[in-house]
Amino acid sequence: MPITEDIICITCPKGCTLEVTREGKTVIKVRQGCKRGADYVKRELTDPRRMVATTVRVSGGLHPLLPVATAAPFPKPRIFALMAALRDLDLHAPVRTGDVILRDALGEGVDIIASRDIPVLE
Ligand code: SF4
């Protein structure tokens, strides 16, 4: 049986509230918003993903924490597992902006990238 609910689109800063009629994970109709919003709703129901930004510990550097981010949206149900994997990393300075800190994180095809330089502490 179809249900209708509101879903907030987070694709752009406008943040439209979309009225979505769906049956299970099958979208029947999306009211308001644009084509990108309709695509977001389909993705959100079948394979929700988020960009993730956090920090990881780094030893021997000018700063103890390195800001990192996913290179692409990461599967939402596995974000806690990703955070645990990042907690277990053993990084050493120097680190350069754009370095791949963790390649193919959890086998999801998404790399984790350094967001700043961490030079060696002299
Ligand atoms: S529906 Fe379109 S305009 Fe509205 S927030 Fe989503 S992408 Fe932006």
Side-chain angles (χ1 to χ4, degrees):
M1 176 162 166
I3 61 166
T4 298
E5 62 185 349
D6 288 345
I7 294 181
I8 295 172
C9 178
I10 59 170
T11 305
C12 86
K14 220 169 156 188
C16 299
T17 299
L18 308 177
E19 189 182 296
V20 177
T21 303
R22 66 181 175 91
E23 187 147 8
K25 292 182 176 182
T26 304
V27 176
I28 297 169
K29 189 166 189 173
V30 179
R31 290 175 200 83
Q32 292 103 28
C34 66
K35 164 94 171 64
R36 287 167 65 209
D39 292 343
Y40 166 78
V41 167
K42 284 181 195 145
R43 227 178 20 250
E44 189 66 6
L45 291 175
T46 56
D47 180 25
R49 288 175 177 252
R50 296 290 184 273
M51 293 298 288
V52 178
T54 185
T55 55
V56 297
R57 280 191 310 268
V58 56
S59 60
L62 190 57
H63 306 288
L65 292 174
L66 168 71
V68 300
T70 51
F74 194 82
K76 194 174 165 189
R78 301 202 71 198
I79 288 177
F80 280 116
L82 173 64
M83 300 304 264
L86 292 175
R87 240 189 338 266
D88 290 343
L89 284 180
D90 185 24
L91 289 181
H92 301 273
V95 181
R96 308 280 289 199
T97 303
D99 282 357
V100 176
I101 299 307
L102 181 61
R103 191 169 298 284
D104 187 19
L106 305 183
E108 295 289 350
V110 177
D111 294 340
I112 309 301
I113 308 293
S115 301
R116 68 165 296 176
D117 293 347
I118 302 279
V120 172
L121 179 62
E122 295 178 13

